[in-house]
Amino acid sequence: MKIYEFRGFPNPARIRIALAEKDMLDQAEFISVNVPDGEHQSDAFRAKNPSATVPMLELEDGTCISECTAITEYLDHLDGSPTLTGSTPRQRARIHMMQRRAEAGLLDAVATYFHHATPGLGPDVEGYQCPDWGNHQKETALTGMRYLDGVLENQPWLAGDDFSMADITAFAGLIFAGFAQLGVPDSCANLRNWQDRMAQRPSVAALG
Ligand SMILES: N[C@@H](CCC(=O)N[C@@H](CS)C(=O)NCC(=O)O)C(=O)O
C-alpha cells in the first residue's frame, strides 16, 4: 500500500502512529507530497483525492482512501490486533464518539485557527482566510483541551482503559497546537500527563 503524506505534519502523523502501533510500518510505501509547496493542490493529486489533503492511502488496485479515520478502519480490518477502532459494539461506539470529539473539538479547531487566524502555510497556499472564524475556533480548541482533561481525570485513555484511535487524533491535535503556538493550559494537568505518556509510546517516538 502507498501512503501519500508530508512527514512531520499532524494528520499524516496519525497514520504513521497507527501503522507503528499495529507493527505494519514496513508494509507501507511512503510518498511525499510537498504541502508547503502546494503539491497537494495539483490536478494529478486532486484526481486521486478531491479533498486535496494528506494522508491518503492508495491500494494496489488503484483505490484511493483519504481521511485518517477511514484509513485506520482499513488497517484495523486488515489486522485486528491490536485494534485501534475497537472490537465490541460498546468499544467501537465509544472510540468513534471520542475520536469525533477529539477531531472536531481539538484537531480540526486548531487547524482552522492555524489556517485562518495565523499566516498558516503562507499566501501561496492559503486561500480564503477569515480571522474571526479562526479566533473563534481557537477558543473551541481550548475548550476541547479542558474537556479532554476532564475525561482523563478518571481513565487512562480517551475512550476508556485501552489506547485507541481517539488518543491518536487528540495527540495529533496537540502536535498541530504546537505548530500554531497554542499551548495546553497549565490547569490541564491530566492532559499534560497523558501527552507525556503518549510521547513515550514507541509509535510516537518513531515519528522522530
Ligand atoms: N480530515 C482529514 C484532514 C487532512 C488534512 O487536513 N491534512 C493536512 C495536512 S496535516 C493537509 O493536507 N492540509 C492541506 C490543506 O489544508 O490545504 C484527515 O483525517 O485526513
Short mmCIF file of all heavy atoms in Angstrom, two decimals, residues 9-12 14 35 40-41 52-55 66-69 71 103 108 115 121 125 176, ligand 1:
data_model
loop_
_atom_site.label_atom_id
_atom_site.label_comp_id
_atom_site.label_asym_id
_atom_site.label_seq_id
_atom_site.Cartn_x
_atom_site.Cartn_y
_atom_site.Cartn_z
N PHE A 9 3.85 16.52 9.46
CA PHE A 9 2.56 17.20 9.59
C PHE A 9 1.60 16.33 10.44
O PHE A 9 1.71 15.10 10.45
CB PHE A 9 1.97 17.48 8.20
CG PHE A 9 2.41 18.82 7.63
CD1 PHE A 9 3.64 19.37 7.97
CD2 PHE A 9 1.59 19.53 6.78
CE1 PHE A 9 4.04 20.60 7.47
CE2 PHE A 9 1.99 20.77 6.27
CZ PHE A 9 3.21 21.30 6.61
N PRO A 10 0.67 17.00 11.13
CA PRO A 10 -0.12 16.29 12.14
C PRO A 10 -1.02 15.18 11.62
O PRO A 10 -1.09 14.11 12.24
CB PRO A 10 -0.98 17.41 12.77
CG PRO A 10 -0.35 18.69 12.35
CD PRO A 10 0.44 18.45 11.11
N ASN A 11 -1.72 15.39 10.51
CA ASN A 11 -2.62 14.33 10.06
C ASN A 11 -1.85 13.12 9.52
O ASN A 11 -2.18 11.98 9.90
CB ASN A 11 -3.65 14.88 9.07
CG ASN A 11 -4.74 15.65 9.79
OD1 ASN A 11 -5.56 15.06 10.48
ND2 ASN A 11 -4.73 16.98 9.67
N PRO A 12 -0.82 13.33 8.70
CA PRO A 12 -0.01 12.16 8.33
C PRO A 12 0.57 11.43 9.55
O PRO A 12 0.70 10.20 9.54
CB PRO A 12 1.09 12.77 7.45
CG PRO A 12 0.43 13.95 6.82
CD PRO A 12 -0.45 14.51 7.91
N ARG A 14 -0.88 10.82 12.24
CA ARG A 14 -1.90 9.90 12.76
C ARG A 14 -1.74 8.51 12.13
O ARG A 14 -1.89 7.48 12.80
CB ARG A 14 -3.32 10.43 12.47
CG ARG A 14 -3.65 11.69 13.23
CD ARG A 14 -4.86 12.40 12.63
NE ARG A 14 -6.13 11.77 12.93
CZ ARG A 14 -7.30 12.26 12.48
NH1 ARG A 14 -7.33 13.32 11.69
NH2 ARG A 14 -8.42 11.66 12.81
N VAL A 35 3.29 19.65 0.78
CA VAL A 35 2.14 20.53 1.08
C VAL A 35 2.57 22.00 1.16
O VAL A 35 1.90 22.87 0.57
CB VAL A 35 1.42 20.06 2.36
CG1 VAL A 35 0.33 21.04 2.77
CG2 VAL A 35 0.84 18.66 2.15
N HIS A 40 -0.10 19.31 -3.06
CA HIS A 40 -1.37 18.62 -2.82
C HIS A 40 -2.51 19.25 -3.61
O HIS A 40 -3.57 18.66 -3.75
CB HIS A 40 -1.70 18.65 -1.32
CG HIS A 40 -1.83 20.02 -0.75
ND1 HIS A 40 -0.83 20.96 -0.79
CD2 HIS A 40 -2.88 20.64 -0.12
CE1 HIS A 40 -1.23 22.08 -0.21
NE2 HIS A 40 -2.48 21.90 0.20
N GLN A 41 -2.28 20.47 -4.13
CA GLN A 41 -3.34 21.14 -4.88
C GLN A 41 -3.23 20.90 -6.39
O GLN A 41 -4.00 21.45 -7.17
CB GLN A 41 -3.32 22.65 -4.56
CG GLN A 41 -3.68 22.93 -3.11
CD GLN A 41 -3.47 24.38 -2.70
OE1 GLN A 41 -2.72 25.11 -3.34
NE2 GLN A 41 -4.12 24.80 -1.62
N ALA A 52 -7.85 17.14 -1.61
CA ALA A 52 -6.50 17.74 -1.66
C ALA A 52 -5.87 17.79 -0.27
O ALA A 52 -5.36 18.84 0.16
CB ALA A 52 -6.55 19.12 -2.30
N THR A 53 -5.90 16.67 0.41
CA THR A 53 -5.29 16.58 1.75
C THR A 53 -4.44 15.33 1.85
O THR A 53 -4.66 14.36 1.12
CB THR A 53 -6.36 16.52 2.86
OG1 THR A 53 -7.24 15.42 2.58
CG2 THR A 53 -7.13 17.82 2.98
N VAL A 54 -3.48 15.39 2.74
CA VAL A 54 -2.72 14.19 3.12
C VAL A 54 -3.01 13.92 4.60
O VAL A 54 -3.30 14.87 5.34
CB VAL A 54 -1.20 14.38 2.88
CG1 VAL A 54 -0.89 14.39 1.41
CG2 VAL A 54 -0.65 15.62 3.58
N PRO A 55 -2.97 12.65 4.99
CA PRO A 55 -2.54 11.48 4.26
C PRO A 55 -3.61 10.95 3.32
O PRO A 55 -4.80 11.26 3.46
CB PRO A 55 -2.29 10.47 5.39
CG PRO A 55 -3.32 10.80 6.41
CD PRO A 55 -3.39 12.31 6.38
N SER A 66 -8.93 8.62 1.46
CA SER A 66 -8.45 9.71 2.32
C SER A 66 -9.25 9.67 3.62
O SER A 66 -10.16 8.84 3.76
CB SER A 66 -8.58 11.07 1.63
OG SER A 66 -9.93 11.41 1.47
N GLU A 67 -8.93 10.55 4.54
CA GLU A 67 -9.49 10.64 5.89
C GLU A 67 -8.81 9.61 6.79
O GLU A 67 -8.90 8.39 6.56
CB GLU A 67 -11.02 10.48 5.95
CG GLU A 67 -11.79 11.56 5.23
CD GLU A 67 -11.48 12.98 5.76
OE1 GLU A 67 -11.30 13.14 6.98
OE2 GLU A 67 -11.39 13.90 4.94
N CYS A 68 -8.17 10.13 7.83
CA CYS A 68 -7.43 9.26 8.75
C CYS A 68 -8.31 8.19 9.38
O CYS A 68 -7.87 7.05 9.59
CB CYS A 68 -6.79 10.10 9.86
SG CYS A 68 -5.49 11.17 9.24
N THR A 69 -9.55 8.55 9.67
CA THR A 69 -10.44 7.56 10.30
C THR A 69 -10.69 6.40 9.35
O THR A 69 -10.68 5.23 9.75
CB THR A 69 -11.77 8.22 10.70
OG1 THR A 69 -12.22 9.01 9.60
CG2 THR A 69 -11.62 9.09 11.92
N ILE A 71 -8.79 5.43 6.83
CA ILE A 71 -7.55 4.67 6.64
C ILE A 71 -7.31 3.76 7.84
O ILE A 71 -6.93 2.59 7.71
CB ILE A 71 -6.35 5.63 6.40
CG1 ILE A 71 -6.57 6.45 5.12
CG2 ILE A 71 -5.05 4.85 6.33
CD1 ILE A 71 -5.58 7.60 4.92
N GLU A 103 -11.50 15.17 17.32
CA GLU A 103 -11.27 15.72 15.98
C GLU A 103 -11.96 17.09 15.84
O GLU A 103 -11.32 18.08 15.47
CB GLU A 103 -11.82 14.72 14.95
CG GLU A 103 -11.36 14.95 13.53
CD GLU A 103 -11.74 13.77 12.64
OE1 GLU A 103 -12.93 13.38 12.62
OE2 GLU A 103 -10.86 13.24 11.96
N ASP A 108 -9.40 19.65 14.44
CA ASP A 108 -9.92 20.49 13.35
C ASP A 108 -10.03 21.95 13.79
O ASP A 108 -9.85 22.87 12.98
CB ASP A 108 -11.28 19.97 12.87
CG ASP A 108 -11.16 18.66 12.10
OD1 ASP A 108 -10.02 18.22 11.82
OD2 ASP A 108 -12.21 18.05 11.78
N HIS A 115 -5.03 28.00 10.01
CA HIS A 115 -5.19 28.41 8.61
C HIS A 115 -5.88 29.76 8.47
O HIS A 115 -5.70 30.43 7.45
CB HIS A 115 -5.96 27.34 7.82
CG HIS A 115 -5.16 26.08 7.58
ND1 HIS A 115 -4.00 26.06 6.85
CD2 HIS A 115 -5.36 24.80 7.99
CE1 HIS A 115 -3.51 24.83 6.81
NE2 HIS A 115 -4.31 24.05 7.50
N LEU A 121 0.19 28.42 6.14
CA LEU A 121 1.24 27.91 5.24
C LEU A 121 1.69 28.98 4.24
O LEU A 121 2.40 28.67 3.28
CB LEU A 121 0.75 26.66 4.50
CG LEU A 121 0.47 25.44 5.40
CD1 LEU A 121 -0.14 24.30 4.58
CD2 LEU A 121 1.75 24.96 6.10
N VAL A 125 -0.29 29.25 -0.47
CA VAL A 125 -1.07 28.03 -0.22
C VAL A 125 -2.42 28.37 0.40
O VAL A 125 -3.45 27.80 0.04
CB VAL A 125 -0.29 27.06 0.71
CG1 VAL A 125 -1.13 25.86 1.09
CG2 VAL A 125 0.99 26.60 0.01
N PHE A 176 -0.48 19.78 16.28
CA PHE A 176 -0.90 20.94 15.49
C PHE A 176 -0.93 22.20 16.37
O PHE A 176 -0.54 23.30 15.94
CB PHE A 176 -2.29 20.68 14.89
CG PHE A 176 -2.48 21.28 13.53
CD1 PHE A 176 -3.27 20.63 12.58
CD2 PHE A 176 -1.89 22.48 13.15
CE1 PHE A 176 -3.46 21.15 11.31
CE2 PHE A 176 -2.08 23.02 11.88
CZ PHE A 176 -2.87 22.35 10.97
N1 LIG B 1 -9.76 15.20 7.92
C1 LIG B 1 -8.55 14.94 7.17
C2 LIG B 1 -7.59 16.10 7.41
C3 LIG B 1 -6.38 16.04 6.49
C4 LIG B 1 -5.61 17.35 6.46
O1 LIG B 1 -6.17 18.45 6.63
N2 LIG B 1 -4.30 17.26 6.24
C5 LIG B 1 -3.47 18.43 6.13
C6 LIG B 1 -2.04 18.11 6.49
S1 LIG B 1 -1.84 17.96 8.23
C7 LIG B 1 -3.50 18.91 4.68
O2 LIG B 1 -3.38 18.11 3.79
N3 LIG B 1 -3.65 20.22 4.50
C8 LIG B 1 -3.63 20.81 3.21
C9 LIG B 1 -4.59 21.95 3.11
O3 LIG B 1 -5.37 22.16 4.03
O4 LIG B 1 -4.55 22.64 2.10
C10 LIG B 1 -7.98 13.59 7.54
O5 LIG B 1 -8.43 13.00 8.52
O6 LIG B 1 -7.11 13.06 6.82
#
